[in-house]
Amino acid sequence: MPRSRTEEEPRSRRSRRQQYSAATRQALVDEATRLFTEQGYGATSLDAVVAAAEVTKGALYHHFAGKAAVFAEAFDAVETRAAERITAALDAEDDPWDKARAGLAAFLTVVQEPEYRRIVVQDGPAVLGYERFRESEERSTFACVTDIVRAVLSSERGLQASWAEDEEMLATFARIFFGALSSAGEAVTTSADPEAAAGRVEAAIGLIIAGLQALVDDEDTRG
Amino acid sequence: MPRSRTEEEPRSRRSRRQQYSAATRQALVDEATRLFTEQGYGATSLDAVVAAAEVTKGALYHHFAGKAAVFAEAFDAVETRAAERITAALDAEDDPWDKARAGLAAFLTVVQEPEYRRIVVQDGPAVLGYERFRESEERSTFACVTDIVRAVLSSERGLQASWAEDEEMLATFARIFFGALSSAGEAVTTSADPEAAAGRVEAAIGLIIAGLQALVDDEDTRG
DNA sequence: GTACTCACATACTCTGAGTACGTACCCAAA
DNA sequence: TTTGGGTACGTACTCAGAGTATGTGAGTAC
């Protein structure tokens, strides 16, 4: 039994008009994401986007400030999905080192996807500007890496050296690992044998981590 | 005493006209580099470039295939200079570990310069395409890192584990360190206190390397 | 029902990349 | 010295595409 129209409607908060509007906006973002991924930002015209979404430029400029704003929306969506997937992989593990391994694998998977590679890695910095690019990164994928590093450093079986409590040193380590993983992911993607390349990356990262553990062990044994 | 004009002129290979032409081309590249650095690729019009170089679009399109070709020329120049500077820093050292330290410092310096940040890091991938971007990188700065890693791995005081001879593993390590350094350089640049940030980066990288050495030492002591 | 507003569509402007073509000057051969 | 040709530009254009101004019709509130 529907309530009075004058009050707020809890079942469907948004009016029909608002729902249509949201659908139009979503269609624009979806088609833009697809075209940006296939052709890149520069080679994609807004005419092509609005044609694919079956609307006109008027609709696009009603919802967005301009071409860059559409891209920003697509960019955020892709980055958010990427971060969510990595986070999900992390949440499936309890042990910090298992988290690290799972996160590494998830990261390597994500950075190989066309949407992420084209929109985030290739066009992101140029279109959004490096500053804004970095901010988005900081909130999503980089945050994942920071979580992993923090988990490893603070675990009982982890690295307990004095620099583990230094927040800035932690950020530095996270930044270094993040760059290493991004670059490594690129190497995996462009490799002729991605499986083998991923194995080498995991082995190399594993060695680096084992090395850090060895340092801690040496400290422990010496007192 | 000038020779016959019909023969080749060894002292000045290029005719006056060719010299003028080369100067025009160079002026275009120089001004384009400056404007691309200041405003970015997208916001820089070719009209602004030719105006700054005091020529017309006819001259530009005589020398270059288009806007992207001008950028590619500027890009290559910036990357080449960066690689030369890092190489010079490496050549000043003999010991592999000193090379690594000097190379790290040189790398961190280079990636902080506006030309490199804007043209290579920010706009390079989008304008040239990731494929071509990677190829240029491979020949210049990434080659420097590979040299460092190779030197360290093959030195007597270096890491002599079995994976040191594996070329693909070497490339993987180089790729990882390269990404780590690039990302770390970014962190240094955007830091409020770049000096301190650079110190943290060098400390963190130093720890990672020390960890790898510790692994080798353990192997040695055990047999 | 009526006035009002939001969500678009249409038709335009305008910047900037790329092109077609004209021209002056250098250089080599006659 | 002349002449012919090719190079190195300059000039004037086209055209695609981003952004804008304004019209309009379907909701929505009262």
Side-chain angles (χ1 to χ4, degrees), chain B residues 17 21 24 56 58-59 62-63:
Chain B
R17 210 170 139 183
S21 176
T24 301
T56 62
H62 174 72
H63 286 289

PDB file of all heavy atoms in Angstrom, chain B residues 17 21 24 56 58-59 62-63, chain D residues 5-12:
ATOM      1  N   ARG B  17      72.598  25.961 -46.162  1.00  0.00           N
ATOM      2  CA  ARG B  17      71.158  25.721 -46.143  1.00  0.00           C
ATOM      3  C   ARG B  17      70.781  24.586 -45.191  1.00  0.00           C
ATOM      4  O   ARG B  17      69.815  24.667 -44.448  1.00  0.00           O
ATOM      5  CB  ARG B  17      70.715  25.358 -47.565  1.00  0.00           C
ATOM      6  CG  ARG B  17      69.308  25.780 -47.838  1.00  0.00           C
ATOM      7  CD  ARG B  17      69.047  25.615 -49.290  1.00  0.00           C
ATOM      8  NE  ARG B  17      67.723  25.080 -49.495  1.00  0.00           N
ATOM      9  CZ  ARG B  17      67.252  24.780 -50.685  1.00  0.00           C
ATOM     10  NH1 ARG B  17      68.027  24.904 -51.750  1.00  0.00           N
ATOM     11  NH2 ARG B  17      66.048  24.345 -50.818  1.00  0.00           N
ATOM     12  N   SER B  21      68.521  24.756 -41.853  1.00  0.00           N
ATOM     13  CA  SER B  21      67.414  23.815 -41.686  1.00  0.00           C
ATOM     14  C   SER B  21      67.502  23.089 -40.351  1.00  0.00           C
ATOM     15  O   SER B  21      66.511  22.967 -39.619  1.00  0.00           O
ATOM     16  CB  SER B  21      67.420  22.810 -42.838  1.00  0.00           C
ATOM     17  OG  SER B  21      66.414  21.858 -42.645  1.00  0.00           O
ATOM     18  N   THR B  24      66.574  25.408 -37.517  1.00  0.00           N
ATOM     19  CA  THR B  24      65.121  25.568 -37.430  1.00  0.00           C
ATOM     20  C   THR B  24      64.491  24.382 -36.726  1.00  0.00           C
ATOM     21  O   THR B  24      63.681  24.525 -35.804  1.00  0.00           O
ATOM     22  CB  THR B  24      64.517  25.697 -38.838  1.00  0.00           C
ATOM     23  OG1 THR B  24      65.083  26.825 -39.494  1.00  0.00           O
ATOM     24  CG2 THR B  24      63.007  25.856 -38.763  1.00  0.00           C
ATOM     25  N   THR B  56      56.616  29.154 -38.986  1.00  0.00           N
ATOM     26  CA  THR B  56      55.192  28.922 -39.233  1.00  0.00           C
ATOM     27  C   THR B  56      54.911  27.421 -39.246  1.00  0.00           C
ATOM     28  O   THR B  56      55.823  26.595 -39.165  1.00  0.00           O
ATOM     29  CB  THR B  56      54.751  29.520 -40.580  1.00  0.00           C
ATOM     30  OG1 THR B  56      55.485  28.874 -41.619  1.00  0.00           O
ATOM     31  CG2 THR B  56      54.992  31.012 -40.610  1.00  0.00           C
ATOM     32  N   GLY B  58      54.056  25.676 -41.659  1.00  0.00           N
ATOM     33  CA  GLY B  58      54.671  25.078 -42.836  1.00  0.00           C
ATOM     34  C   GLY B  58      56.029  24.490 -42.510  1.00  0.00           C
ATOM     35  O   GLY B  58      56.369  23.379 -42.941  1.00  0.00           O
ATOM     36  N   ALA B  59      56.812  25.231 -41.734  1.00  0.00           N
ATOM     37  CA  ALA B  59      58.139  24.759 -41.344  1.00  0.00           C
ATOM     38  C   ALA B  59      58.025  23.515 -40.477  1.00  0.00           C
ATOM     39  O   ALA B  59      58.736  22.523 -40.681  1.00  0.00           O
ATOM     40  CB  ALA B  59      58.883  25.858 -40.610  1.00  0.00           C
ATOM     41  N   HIS B  62      57.041  20.572 -42.397  1.00  0.00           N
ATOM     42  CA  HIS B  62      58.112  20.149 -43.288  1.00  0.00           C
ATOM     43  C   HIS B  62      59.071  19.200 -42.554  1.00  0.00           C
ATOM     44  O   HIS B  62      59.555  18.230 -43.126  1.00  0.00           O
ATOM     45  CB  HIS B  62      58.869  21.361 -43.820  1.00  0.00           C
ATOM     46  CG  HIS B  62      60.072  20.998 -44.639  1.00  0.00           C
ATOM     47  ND1 HIS B  62      59.970  20.460 -45.908  1.00  0.00           N
ATOM     48  CD2 HIS B  62      61.379  21.041 -44.359  1.00  0.00           C
ATOM     49  CE1 HIS B  62      61.182  20.219 -46.370  1.00  0.00           C
ATOM     50  NE2 HIS B  62      62.053  20.558 -45.455  1.00  0.00           N
ATOM     51  N   HIS B  63      59.297  19.489 -41.292  1.00  0.00           N
ATOM     52  CA  HIS B  63      60.275  18.701 -40.526  1.00  0.00           C
ATOM     53  C   HIS B  63      59.648  17.502 -39.811  1.00  0.00           C
ATOM     54  O   HIS B  63      60.331  16.510 -39.568  1.00  0.00           O
ATOM     55  CB  HIS B  63      60.970  19.587 -39.493  1.00  0.00           C
ATOM     56  CG  HIS B  63      61.970  20.522 -40.078  1.00  0.00           C
ATOM     57  ND1 HIS B  63      63.181  20.092 -40.580  1.00  0.00           N
ATOM     58  CD2 HIS B  63      61.938  21.853 -40.276  1.00  0.00           C
ATOM     59  CE1 HIS B  63      63.860  21.134 -41.034  1.00  0.00           C
ATOM     60  NE2 HIS B  63      63.131  22.216 -40.870  1.00  0.00           N
TER      61      HIS B  63
ATOM     62  P    DG D   5      63.890  21.638 -64.767  1.00  0.00           P
ATOM     63  OP1  DG D   5      63.666  20.384 -65.516  1.00  0.00           O
ATOM     64  OP2  DG D   5      62.811  22.652 -64.685  1.00  0.00           O
ATOM     65  O5'  DG D   5      64.335  21.268 -63.294  1.00  0.00           O
ATOM     66  C5'  DG D   5      65.575  20.595 -63.075  1.00  0.00           C
ATOM     67  C4'  DG D   5      65.828  20.499 -61.577  1.00  0.00           C
ATOM     68  O4'  DG D   5      66.234  21.803 -61.075  1.00  0.00           O
ATOM     69  C3'  DG D   5      64.591  20.103 -60.755  1.00  0.00           C
ATOM     70  O3'  DG D   5      64.982  19.207 -59.729  1.00  0.00           O
ATOM     71  C2'  DG D   5      64.115  21.428 -60.171  1.00  0.00           C
ATOM     72  C1'  DG D   5      65.432  22.143 -59.951  1.00  0.00           C
ATOM     73  N9   DG D   5      65.303  23.594 -59.895  1.00  0.00           N
ATOM     74  C8   DG D   5      64.531  24.381 -60.714  1.00  0.00           C
ATOM     75  N7   DG D   5      64.616  25.655 -60.423  1.00  0.00           N
ATOM     76  C5   DG D   5      65.494  25.701 -59.342  1.00  0.00           C
ATOM     77  C6   DG D   5      65.963  26.809 -58.604  1.00  0.00           C
ATOM     78  O6   DG D   5      65.696  27.989 -58.738  1.00  0.00           O
ATOM     79  N1   DG D   5      66.846  26.402 -57.592  1.00  0.00           N
ATOM     80  C2   DG D   5      67.210  25.108 -57.340  1.00  0.00           C
ATOM     81  N2   DG D   5      68.049  24.923 -56.344  1.00  0.00           N
ATOM     82  N3   DG D   5      66.775  24.067 -58.028  1.00  0.00           N
ATOM     83  C4   DG D   5      65.925  24.434 -59.012  1.00  0.00           C
ATOM     84  P    DG D   6      64.002  18.103 -59.188  1.00  0.00           P
ATOM     85  OP1  DG D   6      64.290  16.847 -59.863  1.00  0.00           O
ATOM     86  OP2  DG D   6      62.640  18.705 -59.216  1.00  0.00           O
ATOM     87  O5'  DG D   6      64.400  17.960 -57.660  1.00  0.00           O
ATOM     88  C5'  DG D   6      65.750  18.170 -57.265  1.00  0.00           C
ATOM     89  C4'  DG D   6      65.821  19.014 -56.013  1.00  0.00           C
ATOM     90  O4'  DG D   6      65.631  20.415 -56.346  1.00  0.00           O
ATOM     91  C3'  DG D   6      64.731  18.687 -54.966  1.00  0.00           C
ATOM     92  O3'  DG D   6      65.340  18.616 -53.698  1.00  0.00           O
ATOM     93  C2'  DG D   6      63.790  19.882 -55.060  1.00  0.00           C
ATOM     94  C1'  DG D   6      64.764  20.993 -55.387  1.00  0.00           C
ATOM     95  N9   DG D   6      64.130  22.167 -55.969  1.00  0.00           N
ATOM     96  C8   DG D   6      63.208  22.192 -56.991  1.00  0.00           C
ATOM     97  N7   DG D   6      62.817  23.405 -57.298  1.00  0.00           N
ATOM     98  C5   DG D   6      63.522  24.232 -56.421  1.00  0.00           C
ATOM     99  C6   DG D   6      63.514  25.639 -56.286  1.00  0.00           C
ATOM    100  O6   DG D   6      62.859  26.473 -56.918  1.00  0.00           O
ATOM    101  N1   DG D   6      64.385  26.062 -55.278  1.00  0.00           N
ATOM    102  C2   DG D   6      65.160  25.222 -54.498  1.00  0.00           C
ATOM    103  N2   DG D   6      65.927  25.797 -53.582  1.00  0.00           N
ATOM    104  N3   DG D   6      65.175  23.906 -54.623  1.00  0.00           N
ATOM    105  C4   DG D   6      64.339  23.480 -55.604  1.00  0.00           C
ATOM    106  P    DT D   7      64.755  17.741 -52.561  1.00  0.00           P
ATOM    107  OP1  DT D   7      65.417  16.430 -52.597  1.00  0.00           O
ATOM    108  OP2  DT D   7      63.282  17.843 -52.643  1.00  0.00           O
ATOM    109  O5'  DT D   7      65.222  18.510 -51.244  1.00  0.00           O
ATOM    110  C5'  DT D   7      66.423  19.249 -51.267  1.00  0.00           C
ATOM    111  C4'  DT D   7      66.237  20.588 -50.594  1.00  0.00           C
ATOM    112  O4'  DT D   7      65.494  21.500 -51.465  1.00  0.00           O
ATOM    113  C3'  DT D   7      65.434  20.540 -49.286  1.00  0.00           C
ATOM    114  O3'  DT D   7      66.189  21.178 -48.280  1.00  0.00           O
ATOM    115  C2'  DT D   7      64.160  21.311 -49.597  1.00  0.00           C
ATOM    116  C1'  DT D   7      64.638  22.282 -50.662  1.00  0.00           C
ATOM    117  N1   DT D   7      63.564  22.833 -51.515  1.00  0.00           N
ATOM    118  C2   DT D   7      63.435  24.195 -51.623  1.00  0.00           C
ATOM    119  O2   DT D   7      64.158  24.991 -51.043  1.00  0.00           O
ATOM    120  N3   DT D   7      62.410  24.614 -52.439  1.00  0.00           N
ATOM    121  C4   DT D   7      61.524  23.808 -53.144  1.00  0.00           C
ATOM    122  O4   DT D   7      60.643  24.292 -53.848  1.00  0.00           O
ATOM    123  C5   DT D   7      61.718  22.389 -52.982  1.00  0.00           C
ATOM    124  C7   DT D   7      60.825  21.431 -53.686  1.00  0.00           C
ATOM    125  C6   DT D   7      62.719  21.964 -52.185  1.00  0.00           C
ATOM    126  P    DA D   8      65.915  20.950 -46.724  1.00  0.00           P
ATOM    127  OP1  DA D   8      67.200  20.811 -46.018  1.00  0.00           O
ATOM    128  OP2  DA D   8      64.882  19.904 -46.646  1.00  0.00           O
ATOM    129  O5'  DA D   8      65.265  22.332 -46.271  1.00  0.00           O
ATOM    130  C5'  DA D   8      65.962  23.539 -46.518  1.00  0.00           C
ATOM    131  C4'  DA D   8      65.037  24.721 -46.305  1.00  0.00           C
ATOM    132  O4'  DA D   8      64.118  24.819 -47.417  1.00  0.00           O
ATOM    133  C3'  DA D   8      64.158  24.609 -45.043  1.00  0.00           C
ATOM    134  O3'  DA D   8      64.122  25.865 -44.377  1.00  0.00           O
ATOM    135  C2'  DA D   8      62.797  24.249 -45.603  1.00  0.00           C
ATOM    136  C1'  DA D   8      62.814  25.016 -46.905  1.00  0.00           C
ATOM    137  N9   DA D   8      61.862  24.523 -47.901  1.00  0.00           N
ATOM    138  C8   DA D   8      61.488  23.224 -48.138  1.00  0.00           C
ATOM    139  N7   DA D   8      60.602  23.091 -49.104  1.00  0.00           N
ATOM    140  C5   DA D   8      60.363  24.379 -49.530  1.00  0.00           C
ATOM    141  C6   DA D   8      59.519  24.906 -50.517  1.00  0.00           C
ATOM    142  N6   DA D   8      58.730  24.168 -51.287  1.00  0.00           N
ATOM    143  N1   DA D   8      59.537  26.253 -50.697  1.00  0.00           N
ATOM    144  C2   DA D   8      60.334  27.002 -49.911  1.00  0.00           C
ATOM    145  N3   DA D   8      61.168  26.614 -48.946  1.00  0.00           N
ATOM    146  C4   DA D   8      61.137  25.277 -48.804  1.00  0.00           C
ATOM    147  P    DC D   9      63.678  25.894 -42.819  1.00  0.00           P
ATOM    148  OP1  DC D   9      63.848  27.281 -42.366  1.00  0.00           O
ATOM    149  OP2  DC D   9      64.398  24.823 -42.135  1.00  0.00           O
ATOM    150  O5'  DC D   9      62.132  25.565 -42.788  1.00  0.00           O
ATOM    151  C5'  DC D   9      61.206  26.568 -42.460  1.00  0.00           C
ATOM    152  C4'  DC D   9      60.857  27.421 -43.684  1.00  0.00           C
ATOM    153  O4'  DC D   9      60.675  26.579 -44.822  1.00  0.00           O
ATOM    154  C3'  DC D   9      59.556  28.174 -43.546  1.00  0.00           C
ATOM    155  O3'  DC D   9      59.761  29.415 -42.921  1.00  0.00           O
ATOM    156  C2'  DC D   9      59.068  28.317 -44.969  1.00  0.00           C
ATOM    157  C1'  DC D   9      59.832  27.247 -45.750  1.00  0.00           C
ATOM    158  N1   DC D   9      58.961  26.232 -46.424  1.00  0.00           N
ATOM    159  C2   DC D   9      58.120  26.623 -47.473  1.00  0.00           C
ATOM    160  O2   DC D   9      58.097  27.807 -47.815  1.00  0.00           O
ATOM    161  N3   DC D   9      57.341  25.700 -48.093  1.00  0.00           N
ATOM    162  C4   DC D   9      57.389  24.424 -47.702  1.00  0.00           C
ATOM    163  N4   DC D   9      56.619  23.539 -48.332  1.00  0.00           N
ATOM    164  C5   DC D   9      58.245  24.001 -46.615  1.00  0.00           C
ATOM    165  C6   DC D   9      58.995  24.930 -46.015  1.00  0.00           C
ATOM    166  P    DG D  10      58.621  30.126 -42.115  1.00  0.00           P
ATOM    167  OP1  DG D  10      59.165  31.288 -41.371  1.00  0.00           O
ATOM    168  OP2  DG D  10      57.952  29.053 -41.379  1.00  0.00           O
ATOM    169  O5'  DG D  10      57.630  30.667 -43.245  1.00  0.00           O
ATOM    170  C5'  DG D  10      58.022  31.766 -44.074  1.00  0.00           C
ATOM    171  C4'  DG D  10      56.854  32.241 -44.919  1.00  0.00           C
ATOM    172  O4'  DG D  10      56.470  31.180 -45.847  1.00  0.00           O
ATOM    173  C3'  DG D  10      55.582  32.590 -44.134  1.00  0.00           C
ATOM    174  O3'  DG D  10      54.963  33.745 -44.700  1.00  0.00           O
ATOM    175  C2'  DG D  10      54.712  31.346 -44.289  1.00  0.00           C
ATOM    176  C1'  DG D  10      55.110  30.823 -45.657  1.00  0.00           C
ATOM    177  N9   DG D  10      55.026  29.369 -45.755  1.00  0.00           N
ATOM    178  C8   DG D  10      55.692  28.449 -44.978  1.00  0.00           C
ATOM    179  N7   DG D  10      55.420  27.214 -45.292  1.00  0.00           N
ATOM    180  C5   DG D  10      54.513  27.315 -46.334  1.00  0.00           C
ATOM    181  C6   DG D  10      53.857  26.309 -47.081  1.00  0.00           C
ATOM    182  O6   DG D  10      53.954  25.081 -46.964  1.00  0.00           O
ATOM    183  N1   DG D  10      53.014  26.846 -48.049  1.00  0.00           N
ATOM    184  C2   DG D  10      52.829  28.189 -48.271  1.00  0.00           C
ATOM    185  N2   DG D  10      51.979  28.521 -49.243  1.00  0.00           N
ATOM    186  N3   DG D  10      53.436  29.146 -47.583  1.00  0.00           N
ATOM    187  C4   DG D  10      54.260  28.637 -46.635  1.00  0.00           C
ATOM    188  P    DT D  11      53.665  34.374 -44.015  1.00  0.00           P
ATOM    189  OP1  DT D  11      53.742  35.845 -44.181  1.00  0.00           O
ATOM    190  OP2  DT D  11      53.553  33.787 -42.665  1.00  0.00           O
ATOM    191  O5'  DT D  11      52.471  33.820 -44.897  1.00  0.00           O
ATOM    192  C5'  DT D  11      52.595  33.801 -46.311  1.00  0.00           C
ATOM    193  C4'  DT D  11      51.268  33.426 -46.950  1.00  0.00           C
ATOM    194  O4'  DT D  11      51.203  31.989 -47.124  1.00  0.00           O
ATOM    195  C3'  DT D  11      50.022  33.814 -46.168  1.00  0.00           C
ATOM    196  O3'  DT D  11      49.030  34.282 -47.063  1.00  0.00           O
ATOM    197  C2'  DT D  11      49.606  32.518 -45.499  1.00  0.00           C
ATOM    198  C1'  DT D  11      50.022  31.478 -46.531  1.00  0.00           C
ATOM    199  N1   DT D  11      50.337  30.144 -45.987  1.00  0.00           N
ATOM    200  C2   DT D  11      49.881  29.020 -46.624  1.00  0.00           C
ATOM    201  O2   DT D  11      49.218  29.060 -47.637  1.00  0.00           O
ATOM    202  N3   DT D  11      50.230  27.836 -46.026  1.00  0.00           N
ATOM    203  C4   DT D  11      50.978  27.663 -44.875  1.00  0.00           C
ATOM    204  O4   DT D  11      51.229  26.549 -44.435  1.00  0.00           O
ATOM    205  C5   DT D  11      51.440  28.880 -44.260  1.00  0.00           C
ATOM    206  C7   DT D  11      52.254  28.820 -43.001  1.00  0.00           C
ATOM    207  C6   DT D  11      51.102  30.053 -44.830  1.00  0.00           C
ATOM    208  P    DA D  12      47.653  34.918 -46.493  1.00  0.00           P
ATOM    209  OP1  DA D  12      47.344  36.143 -47.259  1.00  0.00           O
ATOM    210  OP2  DA D  12      47.711  34.964 -45.014  1.00  0.00           O
ATOM    211  O5'  DA D  12      46.600  33.794 -46.908  1.00  0.00           O
ATOM    212  C5'  DA D  12      46.728  33.142 -48.173  1.00  0.00           C
ATOM    213  C4'  DA D  12      45.769  31.958 -48.236  1.00  0.00           C
ATOM    214  O4'  DA D  12      46.389  30.811 -47.596  1.00  0.00           O
ATOM    215  C3'  DA D  12      44.443  32.189 -47.514  1.00  0.00           C
ATOM    216  O3'  DA D  12      43.365  31.690 -48.291  1.00  0.00           O
ATOM    217  C2'  DA D  12      44.609  31.424 -46.215  1.00  0.00           C
ATOM    218  C1'  DA D  12      45.486  30.265 -46.662  1.00  0.00           C
ATOM    219  N9   DA D  12      46.255  29.651 -45.582  1.00  0.00           N
ATOM    220  C8   DA D  12      46.821  30.276 -44.509  1.00  0.00           C
ATOM    221  N7   DA D  12      47.438  29.461 -43.689  1.00  0.00           N
ATOM    222  C5   DA D  12      47.264  28.213 -44.269  1.00  0.00           C
ATOM    223  C6   DA D  12      47.686  26.932 -43.887  1.00  0.00           C
ATOM    224  N6   DA D  12      48.396  26.689 -42.787  1.00  0.00           N
ATOM    225  N1   DA D  12      47.351  25.900 -44.695  1.00  0.00           N
ATOM    226  C2   DA D  12      46.636  26.150 -45.797  1.00  0.00           C
ATOM    227  N3   DA D  12      46.188  27.314 -46.253  1.00  0.00           N
ATOM    228  C4   DA D  12      46.541  28.320 -45.434  1.00  0.00           C
TER     229       DA D  12
END
